[in-house]
Amino acid sequence: MKLDTLATLLWLTLISTTESTQPPFSCDSSLPLTKSLKFCQSALPISVRAKDLVSRLTLDEKISQLVNSAPAIPRLGIPAYEWWSESLHGVGAAGRGIFFNGSINGATSFPQVILTAASFDENLWYRIGQVIGREARGVYNAGEAVGMTFWAPNINIFRDPRWGRGQETAGEDPTMTGKYAIRYVRGVQGDSFEGGKLKKGHLQASACCKHFTAYDLDQWKTLDRFSFNAIVTPQDMADTFQPPFQDCIQKAQASGIMCSYNSVNGIPSCANYNLLTKTARQQWGFHGYITSDCDAVQVMHDNHKYAKTPEDAAAFALKAGMDVNCGDYLRKYTKSAIMQKKVSEAHVDRALHNLFSIRMRLGLFNGNPTKQLFGNISPNLVCAQQHQELALEAARSGIVLLKNTGKLLPLSKAKTNSLAVIGPNANSAYVLRGNYDGPPCKSIEILKALSGYVKTVQYHPGCYAVNCTSVAIDQAVNAAKNVDYVVLVMGLDQGQEREQFDRDDLVLPGQQEKLITSVAKAAKKPVILVLLSGGPVDVSFAKINPKIGSILWAGYPGEAGGLALSEIIFGEHNPGGKLPITWYPQDFVKIPMTDMRMRPNPATGYPGRTYRFYKGPKVFEFGYGLSYTTYSYEFNSATPKTVQLNQLSTAKTVQDSDSIRYVSVEEMGIDNCEKAKFSAHVSVKNSGEMDGKHPVLLFVKQDDKVQNGSPVKQLVGFQSVSLKAGENSEIVFEISPCEHLSSANEDGLTMIEEGSRYLVVGDAEHPINIMI
């Protein structure tokens, strides 16, 4: 290569990675050498371009690219790239690819995912994804990012209520979690709501579904996620843990997935060929990159003791199908693993082909990206007013009204002259953000937001920290005695639940319960209890206490959470959120977090997990949520009562020991499954006095004779509907028996059982009989 050309390329790489207004990119059309590099020819298929690029690299250059902080390759004009960026509920600061130290110092901060999930609103989820993707590209176009691959969403099932990261998920239902993944990923990547818009694979930003798979324990007692071996049955794998990832890959077309720290049935996820290659790539058709969780390759050697040497760990990961290591194990040990013939260079080439293909799909090898497909997304779009309004809408839509005795809420703005706001979460804007957050555009404390509605507000924290080991009950009681109403803002924060920290208890921490009951007893009128938390809390004491009139669960509601909560308390918004996870009693903690079984075992007293299988007492049920108005439901006559699969399929039936007949979904085939679909028609009426928006949840419920480990109840679909007072509407749900009326058998095969079911919406039930 000529020295002047090399100098030019070095100069290009330098300015494209350091100049704050210039995003890093390759293949500058103004350079003569660009025309001779096949990987720079954007008209060629990306597979051809990626293969050409990889073929030009030395072994040392190849290995350097196998880690999240990939260095520049100056001789080819390839700038450094950072694979690790975060966007769980807004462009985040947890990764290394986004700076927030230049002209852009914040991004729209949406509610933590568990609260957004409570809206059961697919359109909202998609619009949030769109905003996150656009703001991410806007930051990149401003030259204030060195990566466009975002490690979100977290689509693990919230299996155990103690899990510190459950707040990051869409809850405990696999169908709902899969739908969340589809809408979020499509929004972030620049696809349409229905999918299919991304031509030639172009990506606005890259989304990555994590953590693959059966990951839902962080640090519980003496056990941590780095050494946990999740023992999962084929049945539970098939109908609980894997469906969201299959949806994310096949329907959402996610461009990335992350393998998890834990082992599954003895094999670390990032070393599992059957999981990463046979299932994700070959069976589900995944075309993207696979990253490890951070240091998960090292964990194979240091914690799981699965790999005897570091070279073994590197080889296991590459041969399993993993492409990039968050960490430095592959950088350190891949070359020696090749020299020791534990892994071949071909495995490295495959990984790099996947990695550079993603960077090309992002438009980073097409010349200046600001002049390409997504180059017109202005940095000024970050924190745009319409984005902040969407954050407010999301918080409003997710907050759940759990109790409202005597219609205590909403409070009258005209008649409420004084208010006491008490609690350690009332005067903190930071607590509203949850984890994996970024600096918000703006934020307002709940106390400040409530103060805008009332002339006189008294405030006392009650507890001097959320753990409430130090409490000032007398002062809090004095603040509550002489006001019209009291709002207690209690619950949890990241000191109680977070990554690497699971809870031991389900009750409120420290002396919070004592503070709440003391204040409620002293107040002139029943009090309003607001709970901030990601996971469920056993507040049975508050549920039955008549002096606690209303309970609101607000999750971690994001930058606009204080405003949304105030609007709900004072009746400017009618709450419609519904719980995306079962709220269990404190006794549930007797069950080890390590027990991965979803289904109950009556012989041993094991109650099972989640609303689909759990047989035990509940504080609040999955899907529970009140409103200021009343809704009623009725199935219309257009909904069929019989599904005759025997007229559609020649698939052989199987009869078990109880003489129950089944047919295999796989043997029925795609065409017959499509023909078997039918519609359920539901009339919804707002029979109250206040306009409202709420999600309508459709379940299928088994009859009393549940066979073969089938779920007692299963969410089939959900739609958000807005109705004025007195208005009614008809909602139509499409039901696929192969998907919605089936269950996995003990071998993990999906079967449809003959016999009776019930479609359920609210208190309305519709019998349906399946004939095989």
Side-chain angles (χ1 to χ4, degrees), residues 514-549:
K514 184 178 180 181
L515 172 65
I516 293 166
T517 53
S518 298
V519 168
K521 183 179 180 180
K524 292 190 295 185
K525 297 175 183 177
V527 301
I528 299 143
L529 175 60
V530 174
L531 297 170
L532 300 186
S533 71
V537 183
D538 183 352
V539 288
S540 299
F541 77 93
K543 186 178 177 183
I544 63 174
N545 188 336
K547 288 299 302 270
I548 300 172

Short mmCIF file of all heavy atoms in Angstrom, two decimals, residues 514-549:
data_model
loop_
_atom_site.label_atom_id
_atom_site.label_comp_id
_atom_site.label_asym_id
_atom_site.label_seq_id
_atom_site.Cartn_x
_atom_site.Cartn_y
_atom_site.Cartn_z
N LYS A 514 -45.17 -0.37 59.74
CA LYS A 514 -45.52 0.31 60.99
C LYS A 514 -45.79 1.79 60.75
O LYS A 514 -46.75 2.35 61.31
CB LYS A 514 -44.38 0.12 61.99
CG LYS A 514 -44.67 0.69 63.37
CD LYS A 514 -43.50 0.42 64.32
CE LYS A 514 -43.79 1.00 65.72
NZ LYS A 514 -42.64 0.75 66.63
N LEU A 515 -44.97 2.41 59.92
CA LEU A 515 -45.17 3.83 59.60
C LEU A 515 -46.52 4.03 58.90
O LEU A 515 -47.29 4.94 59.25
CB LEU A 515 -44.04 4.33 58.71
CG LEU A 515 -44.18 5.74 58.13
CD1 LEU A 515 -44.17 6.78 59.24
CD2 LEU A 515 -43.09 6.02 57.11
N ILE A 516 -46.82 3.19 57.92
CA ILE A 516 -48.06 3.32 57.15
C ILE A 516 -49.29 3.18 58.05
O ILE A 516 -50.23 4.01 58.01
CB ILE A 516 -48.11 2.29 56.00
CG1 ILE A 516 -47.01 2.59 54.96
CG2 ILE A 516 -49.48 2.26 55.34
CD1 ILE A 516 -46.76 1.45 53.99
N THR A 517 -49.29 2.14 58.88
CA THR A 517 -50.47 1.90 59.73
C THR A 517 -50.62 3.00 60.78
O THR A 517 -51.76 3.38 61.12
CB THR A 517 -50.38 0.52 60.40
OG1 THR A 517 -49.12 0.40 61.09
CG2 THR A 517 -50.48 -0.59 59.38
N SER A 518 -49.51 3.51 61.29
CA SER A 518 -49.58 4.57 62.29
C SER A 518 -50.15 5.85 61.69
O SER A 518 -51.01 6.52 62.30
CB SER A 518 -48.20 4.84 62.88
OG SER A 518 -47.69 3.70 63.54
N VAL A 519 -49.68 6.20 60.51
CA VAL A 519 -50.18 7.40 59.84
C VAL A 519 -51.66 7.23 59.47
O VAL A 519 -52.47 8.15 59.64
CB VAL A 519 -49.32 7.72 58.60
CG1 VAL A 519 -50.00 8.78 57.73
CG2 VAL A 519 -47.93 8.17 59.01
N ALA A 520 -52.01 6.06 58.95
CA ALA A 520 -53.40 5.81 58.56
C ALA A 520 -54.34 5.91 59.76
O ALA A 520 -55.45 6.45 59.65
CB ALA A 520 -53.51 4.43 57.91
N LYS A 521 -53.89 5.42 60.89
CA LYS A 521 -54.72 5.47 62.10
C LYS A 521 -54.95 6.91 62.55
O LYS A 521 -56.04 7.27 63.03
CB LYS A 521 -54.04 4.67 63.21
CG LYS A 521 -54.84 4.59 64.49
CD LYS A 521 -54.12 3.74 65.53
CE LYS A 521 -54.93 3.67 66.83
NZ LYS A 521 -54.22 2.85 67.86
N ALA A 522 -53.92 7.77 62.39
CA ALA A 522 -54.01 9.15 62.86
C ALA A 522 -54.74 10.07 61.89
O ALA A 522 -55.26 11.12 62.30
CB ALA A 522 -52.60 9.69 63.12
N ALA A 523 -54.78 9.72 60.62
CA ALA A 523 -55.36 10.61 59.60
C ALA A 523 -56.87 10.75 59.77
O ALA A 523 -57.56 9.83 60.22
CB ALA A 523 -55.03 10.07 58.22
N LYS A 524 -57.40 11.90 59.38
CA LYS A 524 -58.83 12.16 59.50
C LYS A 524 -59.64 11.29 58.55
O LYS A 524 -60.75 10.87 58.86
CB LYS A 524 -59.12 13.65 59.22
CG LYS A 524 -58.58 14.59 60.29
CD LYS A 524 -59.10 16.00 60.10
CE LYS A 524 -58.62 16.64 58.81
NZ LYS A 524 -59.04 18.07 58.71
N LYS A 525 -59.10 11.03 57.38
CA LYS A 525 -59.80 10.25 56.36
C LYS A 525 -58.88 9.11 55.90
O LYS A 525 -57.68 9.15 56.13
CB LYS A 525 -60.17 11.14 55.17
CG LYS A 525 -61.13 12.26 55.53
CD LYS A 525 -61.36 13.18 54.34
CE LYS A 525 -62.26 14.35 54.73
NZ LYS A 525 -62.43 15.31 53.60
N PRO A 526 -59.44 8.10 55.26
CA PRO A 526 -58.59 7.03 54.74
C PRO A 526 -57.46 7.59 53.86
O PRO A 526 -57.67 8.56 53.13
CB PRO A 526 -59.56 6.17 53.94
CG PRO A 526 -60.88 6.39 54.61
CD PRO A 526 -60.87 7.83 55.03
N VAL A 527 -56.31 6.96 53.95
CA VAL A 527 -55.12 7.46 53.25
C VAL A 527 -54.94 6.78 51.90
O VAL A 527 -55.54 5.75 51.61
CB VAL A 527 -53.85 7.26 54.11
CG1 VAL A 527 -53.98 7.98 55.43
CG2 VAL A 527 -53.54 5.78 54.29
N ILE A 528 -54.09 7.39 51.09
CA ILE A 528 -53.74 6.86 49.76
C ILE A 528 -52.32 6.34 49.84
O ILE A 528 -51.40 7.08 50.21
CB ILE A 528 -53.84 7.97 48.70
CG1 ILE A 528 -55.28 8.50 48.63
CG2 ILE A 528 -53.38 7.47 47.34
CD1 ILE A 528 -55.34 9.99 48.39
N LEU A 529 -52.12 5.07 49.50
CA LEU A 529 -50.81 4.44 49.54
C LEU A 529 -50.30 4.25 48.12
O LEU A 529 -50.95 3.59 47.31
CB LEU A 529 -50.89 3.09 50.25
CG LEU A 529 -49.61 2.24 50.28
CD1 LEU A 529 -48.47 2.97 50.98
CD2 LEU A 529 -49.88 0.88 50.94
N VAL A 530 -49.16 4.85 47.82
CA VAL A 530 -48.50 4.70 46.52
C VAL A 530 -47.28 3.81 46.71
O VAL A 530 -46.45 4.06 47.59
CB VAL A 530 -48.07 6.07 45.94
CG1 VAL A 530 -47.28 5.88 44.66
CG2 VAL A 530 -49.29 6.95 45.70
N LEU A 531 -47.18 2.78 45.89
CA LEU A 531 -46.06 1.85 45.98
C LEU A 531 -45.18 1.98 44.74
O LEU A 531 -45.66 1.82 43.61
CB LEU A 531 -46.57 0.41 46.09
CG LEU A 531 -47.39 0.08 47.33
CD1 LEU A 531 -48.04 -1.29 47.19
CD2 LEU A 531 -46.54 0.15 48.59
N LEU A 532 -43.90 2.27 44.96
CA LEU A 532 -42.92 2.21 43.88
C LEU A 532 -42.15 0.90 44.06
O LEU A 532 -41.61 0.63 45.13
CB LEU A 532 -41.95 3.39 43.94
CG LEU A 532 -42.53 4.80 43.82
CD1 LEU A 532 -41.40 5.82 43.76
CD2 LEU A 532 -43.41 4.93 42.58
N SER A 533 -42.11 0.09 43.01
CA SER A 533 -41.37 -1.17 43.07
C SER A 533 -41.36 -1.79 41.68
O SER A 533 -42.23 -1.50 40.86
CB SER A 533 -42.00 -2.15 44.06
OG SER A 533 -43.23 -2.67 43.57
N GLY A 534 -40.37 -2.64 41.46
CA GLY A 534 -40.37 -3.42 40.24
C GLY A 534 -41.05 -4.76 40.46
O GLY A 534 -41.88 -5.20 39.67
N GLY A 535 -40.72 -5.41 41.57
CA GLY A 535 -41.34 -6.68 41.91
C GLY A 535 -42.54 -6.50 42.82
O GLY A 535 -42.77 -5.42 43.37
N PRO A 536 -43.32 -7.57 42.98
CA PRO A 536 -44.52 -7.50 43.82
C PRO A 536 -44.17 -7.41 45.29
O PRO A 536 -43.11 -7.84 45.74
CB PRO A 536 -45.24 -8.81 43.50
CG PRO A 536 -44.17 -9.74 43.03
CD PRO A 536 -43.16 -8.89 42.34
N VAL A 537 -45.09 -6.84 46.06
CA VAL A 537 -44.91 -6.66 47.50
C VAL A 537 -46.17 -7.20 48.20
O VAL A 537 -47.29 -6.95 47.75
CB VAL A 537 -44.72 -5.17 47.86
CG1 VAL A 537 -44.46 -5.02 49.35
CG2 VAL A 537 -43.58 -4.57 47.05
N ASP A 538 -45.95 -7.94 49.28
CA ASP A 538 -47.09 -8.42 50.06
C ASP A 538 -47.58 -7.27 50.95
O ASP A 538 -47.00 -6.98 52.00
CB ASP A 538 -46.68 -9.62 50.92
CG ASP A 538 -47.86 -10.21 51.70
OD1 ASP A 538 -48.95 -9.58 51.68
OD2 ASP A 538 -47.70 -11.26 52.33
N VAL A 539 -48.65 -6.64 50.51
CA VAL A 539 -49.26 -5.55 51.28
C VAL A 539 -50.66 -5.98 51.74
O VAL A 539 -51.60 -5.19 51.75
CB VAL A 539 -49.33 -4.24 50.47
CG1 VAL A 539 -47.95 -3.63 50.31
CG2 VAL A 539 -49.99 -4.48 49.10
N SER A 540 -50.76 -7.23 52.16
CA SER A 540 -52.05 -7.75 52.65
C SER A 540 -52.60 -6.89 53.78
O SER A 540 -53.81 -6.68 53.89
CB SER A 540 -51.89 -9.19 53.13
OG SER A 540 -51.45 -10.03 52.08
N PHE A 541 -51.71 -6.37 54.62
CA PHE A 541 -52.14 -5.53 55.74
C PHE A 541 -52.88 -4.30 55.24
O PHE A 541 -53.86 -3.83 55.85
CB PHE A 541 -50.93 -5.13 56.60
CG PHE A 541 -50.08 -4.05 56.00
CD1 PHE A 541 -50.30 -2.71 56.33
CD2 PHE A 541 -49.09 -4.35 55.08
CE1 PHE A 541 -49.52 -1.71 55.76
CE2 PHE A 541 -48.31 -3.34 54.52
CZ PHE A 541 -48.52 -2.02 54.85
N ALA A 542 -52.40 -3.72 54.15
CA ALA A 542 -53.02 -2.51 53.59
C ALA A 542 -54.30 -2.84 52.84
O ALA A 542 -55.25 -2.04 52.81
CB ALA A 542 -52.03 -1.80 52.68
N LYS A 543 -54.32 -4.00 52.25
CA LYS A 543 -55.49 -4.43 51.48
C LYS A 543 -56.72 -4.55 52.38
O LYS A 543 -57.84 -4.22 51.97
CB LYS A 543 -55.17 -5.77 50.80
CG LYS A 543 -56.21 -6.29 49.86
CD LYS A 543 -55.74 -7.60 49.23
CE LYS A 543 -56.80 -8.21 48.33
NZ LYS A 543 -56.36 -9.51 47.76
N ILE A 544 -56.51 -4.99 53.63
CA ILE A 544 -57.65 -5.24 54.53
C ILE A 544 -57.88 -4.10 55.53
O ILE A 544 -58.87 -4.11 56.25
CB ILE A 544 -57.46 -6.56 55.30
CG1 ILE A 544 -56.22 -6.50 56.20
CG2 ILE A 544 -57.38 -7.74 54.34
CD1 ILE A 544 -56.05 -7.71 57.10
N ASN A 545 -56.97 -3.12 55.57
CA ASN A 545 -57.10 -2.02 56.55
C ASN A 545 -58.07 -0.96 56.01
O ASN A 545 -57.80 -0.32 54.99
CB ASN A 545 -55.72 -1.39 56.79
CG ASN A 545 -55.73 -0.37 57.91
OD1 ASN A 545 -56.75 0.22 58.24
ND2 ASN A 545 -54.56 -0.15 58.50
N PRO A 546 -59.19 -0.74 56.67
CA PRO A 546 -60.18 0.24 56.17
C PRO A 546 -59.67 1.67 56.18
O PRO A 546 -60.22 2.52 55.48
CB PRO A 546 -61.36 0.06 57.12
CG PRO A 546 -60.78 -0.54 58.37
CD PRO A 546 -59.65 -1.40 57.92
N LYS A 547 -58.64 1.96 56.98
CA LYS A 547 -58.09 3.31 57.01
C LYS A 547 -57.12 3.57 55.85
O LYS A 547 -56.66 4.69 55.66
CB LYS A 547 -57.37 3.57 58.35
CG LYS A 547 -58.29 3.72 59.54
CD LYS A 547 -59.25 4.91 59.41
CE LYS A 547 -58.57 6.24 59.23
NZ LYS A 547 -58.24 6.97 60.45
N ILE A 548 -56.83 2.53 55.09
CA ILE A 548 -56.07 2.69 53.86
C ILE A 548 -57.06 2.53 52.71
O ILE A 548 -57.47 1.43 52.35
CB ILE A 548 -54.92 1.66 53.77
CG1 ILE A 548 -53.96 1.85 54.95
CG2 ILE A 548 -54.17 1.81 52.44
CD1 ILE A 548 -52.90 0.79 55.07
N GLY A 549 -57.50 3.66 52.18
CA GLY A 549 -58.62 3.65 51.24
C GLY A 549 -58.24 3.27 49.82
O GLY A 549 -59.01 2.61 49.12
#
